[in-house]
Amino acid sequence: MKKIIFTLLISAFLFLFHFSLAADEPRPENSKLRSQLDAMQGKPAPKLGLEGWINSKPLSLKDLKGKIVVLDFWATWCGPCIRAIPHTNEMMEKYADKGVVFIGVCAKSGSEKMAATVKEHGIKYPVAVDAGANAGYLANSFPDYYLIDRSGVLRWADIANADVEKAIRILLKEQKKKKKK
């Protein structure tokens, strides 16, 4: 009996320990391409294939080296994307002075309405039209969020929308640890 209780306690501890570690990472979105997305993580981020910039001059990952980059793959016709704009604006303002850059990657389909959507919904962060970024990042739904660290490495591909800020905080903490060393 004691062995069973001991085994159950050890199992419960290991279970909780495993999930407490996993809880620190942003949750990945469910995607048919999950294994391919996971394979991209930890490697240099693909090129930003974008055109028709609004709220910024054209940016490249080379220009953004040393910054944390949040790519927001969105579409003008996507209701959840439009509803996320105020929160994305808030995060952009909150983290701008900490070296975090948000870029809205607008889907080609509906992009003729991008300028009007930016104006109507008050998008403050840089946005541009997809010219290969969706294919390079395997973005296949909207909104999708990808984070690139200060070294230009794609850290997370297509994470849960609710975990974007968690991912930013993790990357900011890593920067603080490097400065202390």
Side-chain angles (χ1 to χ4, degrees):
M1 182 67 151
K2 286 183 182 180
K3 283 184 182 180
I4 293 172
I5 292 173
F6 180 75
T7 303
L8 287 173
L9 286 173
I10 294 296
S11 297
F13 173 77
L14 291 174
F15 177 81
L16 291 172
F17 180 73
H18 169 75
F19 283 102
S20 71
L21 290 178
D24 290 342
E25 291 286 313
R27 295 168 294 146
E29 289 271 300
N30 291 329
S31 172
K32 295 175 188 173
L33 303 174
R34 186 78 258 158
S35 63
Q36 292 168 288
L37 294 169
D38 289 346
M40 293 172 61
Q41 294 176 159
K43 296 184 174 128
K47 181 179 178 257
L48 284 180
L50 299 169
E51 61 189 14
W53 288 81
I54 298 177
N55 295 337
S56 174
K57 65 179 179 49
L59 299 170
S60 71
L61 291 178
K62 186 178 177 183
D63 300 330
L64 298 168
K65 199 82 157 192
K67 306 258 187 216
I68 294 168
V69 180
V70 179
L71 298 177
D72 170 10
F73 290 88
W74 69 289
T76 59
W77 44 261
C78 166
C81 301
I82 301 302
R83 286 190 297 277
I85 292 169
H87 183 60
T88 305
N89 277 336
E90 289 170 9
M91 287 190 295
M92 185 267 311
E93 290 173 347
K94 180 177 179 178
Y95 294 108
D97 65 340
K98 293 175 174 60
V100 179
V101 176
F102 285 78
I103 299 174
V105 179
C106 182
K108 202 85 147 149
S109 169
S111 64
E112 68 281 356
K113 297 178 182 175
M114 183 177 78
T117 303
V118 167
K119 186 175 181 179
E120 180 183 345
H121 295 283
I123 296 175
K124 298 176 183 175
Y125 45 92
V127 295
V129 177
D130 172 42
N134 282 44
Y137 284 85
L138 304 177
N140 66 346
S141 63
F142 305 104
D144 275 353
Y145 294 93
Y146 290 58
L147 278 91
I148 301 167
D149 70 16
R150 294 178 189 275
S151 302
V153 172
L154 178 62
R155 291 293 294 277
W156 294 289
D158 193 10
I159 63 170
N161 303 352
D163 283 0
V164 172
E165 200 159 4
K166 175 192 255 186
I168 291 169
R169 287 192 303 263
I170 290 168
L171 294 176
L172 289 171
K173 281 181 189 174
E174 287 177 4
Q175 180 65 20
K176 286 182 183 177
K177 287 179 184 177
K178 286 181 183 178
K179 283 184 179 178
K180 287 181 182 179
K181 290 182 180 180

